[in-house]
């Protein structure tokens, strides 16, 4: 196996392990055992477990980003709903790792992971702005969109731990929250154009 393929195989193995256990509970020995390689081989490609966690997160985000792109031909609200459902399904598939990241207090969280997570937040914000109509949203509306992204993360944290409703109901509820927040922004800024996605 080439060095590149071996590195990718270790990252893929790490993601499989992180889907079952919180990354801050996983050691290089765990990855080596799951990949059926020596511990020394893991360290040949990654200086420490933190570097492997970051590489795995980078790989996961690269997997997530195309899933968030809404399918064309649907009303704007349905496009957002599709992206949100994809995000929830992704978080569900990597639940232990996502929980560790969203809690923020674990060894998984750090400057490098925050930077990668911010890429996802920026992508989601761009999707929201693009589907809110022409032109730039008002500062109040933009704030509402950013607050909604934080709401999604907080709701996901609770949902992954407690499962109070099916995933599709969670997506529908969060879309309702977005519409309410945007309407509240429009009411407070009566001179601005409508920003709630149509459909």
């Amino acid at each position: 196996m080439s060095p590149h393929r071996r590195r990718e195989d270790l990252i893929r193995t790490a993601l499989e392990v992180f889907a079952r256990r919180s990354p801050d509970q996983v050691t290089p020995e765990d990855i080596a055992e799951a990949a059926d390689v020596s511990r020394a081989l893991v360290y040949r490609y990654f200086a420490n477990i933190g570097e492997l966690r970051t590489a795995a997160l980078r790989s996961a985000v690269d997997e997530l980003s195309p899933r968030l792109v809404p399918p064309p031909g649907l009303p704007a609200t349905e496009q957002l709903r599709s992206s949100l459902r994809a995000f929830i399904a992704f978080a569900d598939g990597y639940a232990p790792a996502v929980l560790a990241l969203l809690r923020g207090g674990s060894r998984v969280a750090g400057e490098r992971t925050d930077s990668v997570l911010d890429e996802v937040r920026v992508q989601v914000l761009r999707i929201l702005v693009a589907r809110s109509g022409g032109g730039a949203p008002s500062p109040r509306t933009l704030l509402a969109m950013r607050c909604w992204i934080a709401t999604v993360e907080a709701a996901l944290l609770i949902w992954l731990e407690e499962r109070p409703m099916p995933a599709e109901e969670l997506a529908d509820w969060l879309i309702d929250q977005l519409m309410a927040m945007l309407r509240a922004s429009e009411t407070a800024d009566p001179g601005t154009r409508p920003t709630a996605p149509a459909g």
Side-chain angles (χ1 to χ4, degrees):
M1 186 179 292
S2 70
H4 174 74
R5 288 189 60 189
R6 172 62 73 188
R7 187 178 189 278
E8 292 301 309
D9 183 65
L10 289 172
I11 291 173
R12 186 167 53 252
T13 300
L15 283 172
E16 291 170 358
V17 175
F18 296 159
R20 300 189 300 270
R21 295 167 55 192
S22 174
D24 57 3
Q25 298 175 354
V26 176
T27 67
E29 289 79 8
D30 295 326
I31 302 300
E33 181 179 354
D36 195 25
V37 299
S38 69
R39 179 175 180 272
L41 186 68
V42 175
Y43 278 111
R44 182 183 304 172
Y45 291 93
F46 302 97
N48 51 58
I49 191 66
E51 186 177 303
L52 178 52
R53 288 183 192 125
T54 301
L57 176 61
R58 171 80 270 164
S59 177
V61 168
D62 288 346
E63 174 190 336
L64 171 63
S65 290
R67 296 189 195 183
L68 293 180
V69 178
L74 295 176
T77 301
E78 293 309 309
Q79 290 189 29
L80 293 175
R81 196 184 314 274
S82 174
S83 295
L84 183 55
R85 286 176 176 172
F87 185 63
I88 293 170
F90 176 86
D92 196 17
Y94 293 104
V98 171
L99 281 168
L101 286 167
L102 293 182
R103 285 192 185 109
S106 72
R107 287 177 291 169
V108 177
E111 288 185 9
R112 287 179 296 178
T113 55
D114 283 346
S115 175
V116 177
L117 288 174
D118 280 342
E119 292 180 27
V120 178
R121 294 173 182 130
V122 168
Q123 181 182 2
V124 173
L125 184 60
R126 286 175 178 162
I127 290 171
L128 291 173
V129 170
R131 275 140 195 89
S132 67
S138 70
R140 195 182 298 267
T141 296
L142 192 61
L143 177 61
M145 290 176 176
R146 294 173 67 186
C147 287
W148 180 76
I149 293 170
T151 297
V152 170
E153 293 181 8
L156 262 181
L157 180 58
I158 296 169
W159 184 78
L160 290 170
E161 292 180 322
E162 301 177 9
R163 309 284 173 160
M165 64 186 76
E168 288 196 356
E169 288 184 19
L170 174 64
D172 292 343
W173 181 80
L174 285 168
I175 290 293
D176 288 345
Q177 301 307 306
L178 174 63
M179 298 299 106
M181 293 172 79
L182 292 177
R183 282 193 296 270
S185 295
E186 292 165 14
T187 301
D189 262 340
T192 62
R193 60 175 175 77
T195 52

